[in-house]
């Protein structure tokens, strides 16, 4: 078994974390069963967020009883005010059925919260820690500059950031910086929002970074089984897996949509994370489902774009989203002929 030490938090868990965003899409009964299977399989780090609708409630139903002390719960607040911070924290504690949260994260803030910045957010974190309601102060981000600032500030115990074998050298450098500063590193989107389809290659790449804990977004028992199998049999980098990575890096290089959804909501009702990746999805997964009547209707909404630029202004990767949508829609239509 390979374990990861999450920097100055002192949390040590096996190199498999559970990302609880997808359990929003299954029933509570299914979610509880899946979470128990994950726990029985050795997973001890569970990551959710106040914004993931009923995900916290499902985690609370699964672990609110006797198992709490044996695992680590991480959740997030998107609040931009101290008042909202406290409201979110109290709600999370109630839904998770616990009196403390191990890792409490600012959820992708546009700027790095700091003491004295006028928002009162960091002060609220310190007070929550003093009250014993949270154990470690953390931040998630999709913006490299904000992430670097948080790590260098010395104010954060842990960073959660997208990291997969599609990472560029600056992102790989961020992981090394976290090791140097003793800041825990949790990797979200290790499968790059569904674009990486070879989980063994994804795992083998991350295995090269001993300070990185991947959290896998799990919704199905088959997916969970796949990740649990890596506990007893961790994939190692082979020439075959290296070739997969080299091929994907070439195919997915550049300005592709990561499917993070930070550009939403779109006033024209466009499902941007899907529509802006459609060309890739059509080529990297079974085509038929994407061409269903339902998906055709969704893609057609791209025609309703009012060019308000809300999406481009909120994309942490600086993408020209309306352009990307138009290109993907044009490509999509060629598949319908
Ligand atoms: S520019 Fe178009 S796609 Fe982007 S948010 Fe506005 S309407 Fe939606
Ligand atoms: S366009 Fe940008 S913000 Fe929107 S889903 Fe893609 S990467 Fe995320």
């Amino acid at each position: 078994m390979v374990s990861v030490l999450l920097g100055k938090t002192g949390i040590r868990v096996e190199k498999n974390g559970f990302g609880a965003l997808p359990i929003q899409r299954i029933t509570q009964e299914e979610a509880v069963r899946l979470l128990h299977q994950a726990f029985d399989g050795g997973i001890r780090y569970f990551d959710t967020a106040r914004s993931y609708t009923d995900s916290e409630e499902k985690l609370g139903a699964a672990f609110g009883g006797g198992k709490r002390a044996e695992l680590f719960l991480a959740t997030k607040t998107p609040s931009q005010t101290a008042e909202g911070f406290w409201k979110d924290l109290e709600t999370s504690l109630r839904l998770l059925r616990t009196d403390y949260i191990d890792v409490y994260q600012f959820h992708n803030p546009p700027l790095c919260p700091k003491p004295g910045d006028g928002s009162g957010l960091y002060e609220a974190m310190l007070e929550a820690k003093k009250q014993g309601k949270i154990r470690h102060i953390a931040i998630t981000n999709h913006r490299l500059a904000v992430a670097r600032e948080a790590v260098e500030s010395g104010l954060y115990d842990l960073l959660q950031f997208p990291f997969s074998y599609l990472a560029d050298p600056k992102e790989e450098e961020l992981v090394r910086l976290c090791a140097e500063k003793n800041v825990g590193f949790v990797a979200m989107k290790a499968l790059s929002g569904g674009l990486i389809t070879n989980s063994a290659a994804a795992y083998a790449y991350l295995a090269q970074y001993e300070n990185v804990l991947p959290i896998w977004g799990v919704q199905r028992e088959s997916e969970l089984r796949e990740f649990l199998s890596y506990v007893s049999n961790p994939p190692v980098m082979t020439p075959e897996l290296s070739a997969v990575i080299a091929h994907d890096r070439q195919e997915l290089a550049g300005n592709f949509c990561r499917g993070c959804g930070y550009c939403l909501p779109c006033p024209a009702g466009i499902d941007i994370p899907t529509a802006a990746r459609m060309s890739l999805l059509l080529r990297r997964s079974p085509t038929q489902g994407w061409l269903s009547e339902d998906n055709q209707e969704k893609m057609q909404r791209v025609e309703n774009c009012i060019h308000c630029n809300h999406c481009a202004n909120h994309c942490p990767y600086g993408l020209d989203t309306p352009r990307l949508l138009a290109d993907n829609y044009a490509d999509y239509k060629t598949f319908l002929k």
Side-chain angles (χ1 to χ4, degrees), residues 251-258 276 280 315 317-320 324 328:
E251 191 169 292
L252 296 168
N255 290 335
F256 67 94
C257 169
R258 273 76 166 177
L280 290 167
C315 177
Y317 300 98
L319 300 180
D320 181 351
L324 200 56
N328 273 266

Side-chain angles (χ1 to χ4, degrees), residues 225-236:
R225 274 197 300 275
E226 188 172 325
F227 293 121
L228 292 179
S229 74
Y230 298 154
V231 175
S232 47
N233 194 11
V236 288

Side-chain angles (χ1 to χ4, degrees), residues 26 73 114 129 136 147-148 180 220 241 269 288 305 331:
I26 56 179
L73 289 176
K114 290 182 171 170
K129 191 172 175 183
H136 303 289
R148 273 198 78 97
E180 193 187 307
R220 295 186 189 88
L241 292 183
Q288 211 47 42
C305 173
D331 187 38

Side-chain angles (χ1 to χ4, degrees), residues 13-257:
V13 285
E14 105 184 359
K15 203 177 174 79
N16 252 340
F18 192 107
L21 183 148
I23 62 170
Q24 295 174 97
R25 299 193 277 264
I26 56 179
T27 66
Q28 177 149 316
E29 197 186 333
E30 290 164 339
V32 167
R33 192 167 55 237
L34 195 66
L35 289 162
H36 284 169
Q37 284 169 353
F39 181 87
D40 293 342
I43 291 181
R44 291 294 180 272
Y45 193 92
F46 294 83
D47 180 85
T48 181
R50 190 70 289 283
S51 332
Y52 300 167
T53 61
D54 61 2
S55 169
E56 289 177 323
E57 198 178 334
K58 287 166 173 166
L59 274 158
F63 299 130
K67 291 192 169 70
R68 175 66 187 96
E70 297 171 56
L71 51 90
F72 299 97
L73 289 176
T75 190
K76 321 180 183 84
T77 172
S79 182
Q80 300 288 305
T81 65
E83 193 191 352
F85 173 99
W86 286 110
K87 201 166 149 238
D88 280 354
L89 178 56
E90 295 301 340
T91 306
S92 294
L93 288 168
R94 177 170 52 80
L95 295 176
L96 289 164
R97 301 191 204 173
T98 182
D99 53 8
Y100 69 95
I101 285 158
D102 296 281
V103 175
Y104 201 49
Q105 304 156 108
F106 290 125
H107 196 166
N108 197 40
L111 299 170
C112 173
K114 290 182 171 170
D117 66 8
S119 70
L121 285 169
Y122 196 85
E123 287 85 349
M125 271 285 197
L126 285 177
E127 179 58 26
K129 191 172 175 183
K130 203 168 129 199
Q131 292 181 15
K133 291 180 174 168
I134 67 165
R135 300 231 161 132
H136 303 289
I137 297 175
I139 186 168
T140 77
N141 227 275
H142 284 256
R143 299 165 187 83
L144 189 62
V146 177
R148 273 198 78 97
E149 191 182 350
V151 174
E152 279 167 347
S153 71
L155 296 167
Y156 291 90
D157 302 326
L158 181 145
L159 168 72
Q160 185 179 142
F161 192 80
F163 192 60
S164 70
Y165 63 63
L166 300 176
D168 67 24
K170 285 185 183 151
E171 292 161 338
E172 292 178 330
E173 172 54 29
L174 179 68
V175 174
R176 283 190 283 274
L177 183 69
C178 281
E180 193 187 307
K181 302 276 184 190
N182 202 21
V183 172
F185 190 101
V186 170
M188 64 167 119
K189 301 216 174 279
L191 298 177
S192 200
L195 293 181
I196 292 177
T197 49
N198 188 322
S199 65
Y203 194 100
Y205 171 79
L206 294 176
Q208 301 172 120
Y209 295 87
E210 64 173 27
N211 61 323
V212 171
L213 172 68
I215 46 169
W216 309 104
V218 179
Q219 178 178 339
R220 295 186 189 88
E221 288 182 26
S222 57
E223 294 162 349
L224 180 63
R225 274 197 300 275
E226 188 172 325
F227 293 121
L228 292 179
S229 74
Y230 298 154
V231 175
S232 47
N233 194 11
V236 288
M237 197 56 80
T238 58
E240 290 74 26
L241 292 183
S242 290
V244 168
I245 292 174
H247 175 267
D248 280 358
R249 278 184 163 167
Q250 199 179 15
E251 191 169 292
L252 296 168
N255 290 335
F256 67 94
C257 169

Side-chain angles (χ1 to χ4, degrees), residues 266-268 270 272 305-311 322 325:
C266 161
I270 300 167
I272 299 174
C305 173
I306 55 171
H307 299 280
C308 65
N309 241 23
H310 175 274
C311 49
L325 287 167

